[in-house]
């Protein structure tokens, strides 16, 4: 089945199920139980296989992790900005913060739960009994503590904005104050790498996005300018370079990146893949 594109729109609920390339007997039963539930509720059921990678350094050296493929991460994140999505896994799944290299340490990975936090509901089942007892209606499983408007930091693609911290509790006043104190609030922020994210005045390109009942204006994005920050921007499926201090790119809430209009040494460009 081909992945979603930026143009697809559908009101049908979707379940994205992530499972290892070699499933145990229990994981097969979990997958089948969730598929039956989806069929019973008329929900679209997507199965995506992870890949097993061992990290090379740090406290977890040699440990195998189930990693989601970059293209699956891209398609999932785009889709949760278009239709209601429930994300389910049968094992602990992770995503590379930098898709161009194999991770050498655990800190270079983000959990699947953290990846979709504030934008889709996540559930993980460890046993067939848990999945068989899954009685909640899929249509009621919306993201916990979603953004309230487009100025809320939870509307950002946080895994791009801050590649070092997961921001697990932005529903709390203390964490929200810390975020705004560190990065700024409103229409302009400086990200972890000291690049400037400014709400664009010209709403050009892209789709009309919707996430957790927040309708995002068509073309809504941030102009991300290097200034005195790092030149390299990583998403879960691409790496971009801002070679000059005035280089910039457009970044959308669904993680889509397009080059800015600079020229010569100041023109942003994709360097991977």
């Amino acid at each position: 089945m081909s992945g979603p594109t930026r143009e697809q729109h559908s009101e049908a609920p979707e379940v994205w199920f992530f499972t290892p390339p070699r499933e145990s007997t229990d994981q097969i039963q979990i997958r089948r139980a969730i598929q039956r539930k989806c069929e019973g509720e008329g929900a679209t059921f997507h199965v995506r296989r992870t890949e097993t990678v061992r990290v090379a350094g740090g406290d977890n050296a040699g440990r195998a992790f189930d990693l989601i493929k970059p293209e699956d991460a891209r398609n999932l994140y785009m889709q949760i900005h278009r239709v209601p999505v429930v994300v389910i896994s049968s094992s602990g799944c992770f995503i590379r913060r930098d898709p161009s290299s194999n991770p050498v340490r655990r800190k270079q990975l983000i959990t699947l739960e953290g990846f979709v936090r504030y934008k889709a509901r996540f559930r993980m089942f460890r046993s067939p009994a848990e999945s068989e007892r899954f009685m909640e209606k899929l249509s009621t499983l919306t993201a916990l503590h979603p953004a309230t408007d487009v100025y809320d930091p939870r509307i950002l693609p946080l895994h791009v904005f801050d590649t070092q911290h997961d921001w697990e509790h932005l529903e709390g006043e203390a964490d929200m104050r810390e975020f705004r104190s560190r990065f700024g609030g409103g229409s302009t922020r400086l990200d972890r790498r000291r690049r400037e994210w400014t709400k664009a005045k010209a709403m050009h390109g892209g789709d009309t996005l919707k996430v957790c009942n927040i309708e995002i204006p068509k073309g809504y994005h941030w102009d991300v300018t290097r200034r005195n920050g790092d030149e390299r921007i990583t998403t879960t499926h691409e790496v971009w370079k801002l070679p000059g201090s005035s280089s910039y790119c457009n970044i959308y809430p669904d993680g889509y990146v397009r080059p800015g209009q600079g020229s010569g040494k100041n023109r942003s460009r994709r360097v991977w893949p």
Side-chain angles (χ1 to χ4, degrees):
M1 179 177 179
S2 61
T5 68
R6 297 197 83 236
E7 291 74 28
Q8 286 180 317
H9 295 271
S10 171
E11 294 305 318
E14 296 189 0
V15 171
W16 285 60
F17 185 86
F18 291 88
T19 191
R22 293 186 177 181
E23 295 174 298
S24 68
T25 301
D26 281 356
Q27 288 168 331
I28 292 172
Q29 292 181 30
I30 292 169
R31 172 169 50 80
R32 289 174 176 171
I34 300 303
Q35 183 171 9
R36 288 193 298 271
K37 182 174 181 61
C38 290
E39 291 170 351
E41 297 188 24
T44 305
F45 184 61
H46 301 281
V47 177
R48 295 293 183 268
R49 304 280 178 175
T50 60
E51 52 188 358
T52 302
V53 175
R54 294 185 183 277
V55 297
D59 296 339
N60 293 289
R63 179 182 166 188
F65 286 83
D66 290 332
L67 302 189
I68 293 171
K69 298 172 186 176
E71 61 269 27
D72 290 337
R74 173 199 63 197
N75 292 338
L76 169 63
Y77 205 72
M78 284 186 170
Q79 201 68 344
I80 64 179
H81 291 81
R82 288 159 173 77
V83 299
V85 173
V86 177
V87 181
I88 300 176
S89 71
S90 61
S91 68
C93 299
F94 298 82
I95 296 165
R96 297 173 177 87
R97 293 186 185 273
D98 179 351
S100 68
S101 62
N102 282 330
V104 295
R105 294 181 185 274
R106 162 66 179 84
K107 68 180 181 180
Q108 294 175 304
L109 304 174
I110 183 173
T111 64
L112 177 56
E113 180 178 15
F115 181 57
V116 303
R117 183 175 290 123
Y118 310 126
K119 296 191 173 184
R121 179 66 72 87
F122 172 80
R123 297 290 299 269
M124 179 167 62
F125 296 107
R126 294 288 194 179
S127 71
E130 282 184 296
S131 60
E132 292 290 353
R133 292 195 300 267
F134 182 26
M135 302 302 295
E136 298 159 279
K137 290 287 186 182
L138 294 169
S139 59
T140 67
L141 296 180
T142 57
L144 298 173
H145 314 297
T148 56
D149 56 43
V150 293
Y151 295 100
D152 190 316
R154 289 170 290 191
I155 209 72
L156 289 162
L158 285 168
H159 58 283
V160 181
F161 186 88
D162 187 351
T163 59
Q164 297 180 19
H165 190 72
D166 287 347
W167 294 102
E168 297 180 10
H169 300 292
L170 278 178
E171 75 278 7
E173 291 184 8
D175 286 72
M176 190 69 81
R177 282 197 302 270
E178 180 186 353
F179 187 97
R180 288 171 172 154
S181 173
R182 179 173 296 185
F183 303 122
S187 60
T188 301
R189 296 183 173 97
L190 291 180
D191 69 15
R192 174 73 70 172
R193 301 297 184 180
R194 307 305 295 169
R195 294 172 295 243
E196 183 177 277
W197 291 53
T198 302
K199 176 185 171 295
K201 294 179 180 179
M203 302 292 191
H204 54 78
D207 296 348
T208 301
L209 306 180
K210 183 176 181 180
V211 58
C212 300
N213 294 321
I214 297 294
E215 292 191 2
I216 303 172
K218 182 178 177 61
Y220 186 96
H221 67 279
W222 298 272
D223 291 333
V224 179
T225 309
R226 179 180 173 184
R227 301 295 186 213
N228 296 316
D230 288 357
E231 67 176 8
R232 199 165 181 267
I233 291 178
T234 58
T235 74
T236 58
H237 61 284
E238 292 178 339
V239 179
W240 287 76
K241 185 176 182 179
L242 306 180
S245 61
S246 60
S247 301
Y248 78 98
C249 61
N250 304 145
I251 300 183
Y252 293 75
D254 64 351
Y256 177 70
V257 181
R258 58 182 286 173
Q261 297 179 351
S263 60
K265 70 176 184 178
N266 284 314
R267 183 167 178 78
S268 58
R269 65 181 184 273
R270 189 180 68 181
V271 295
W272 191 94

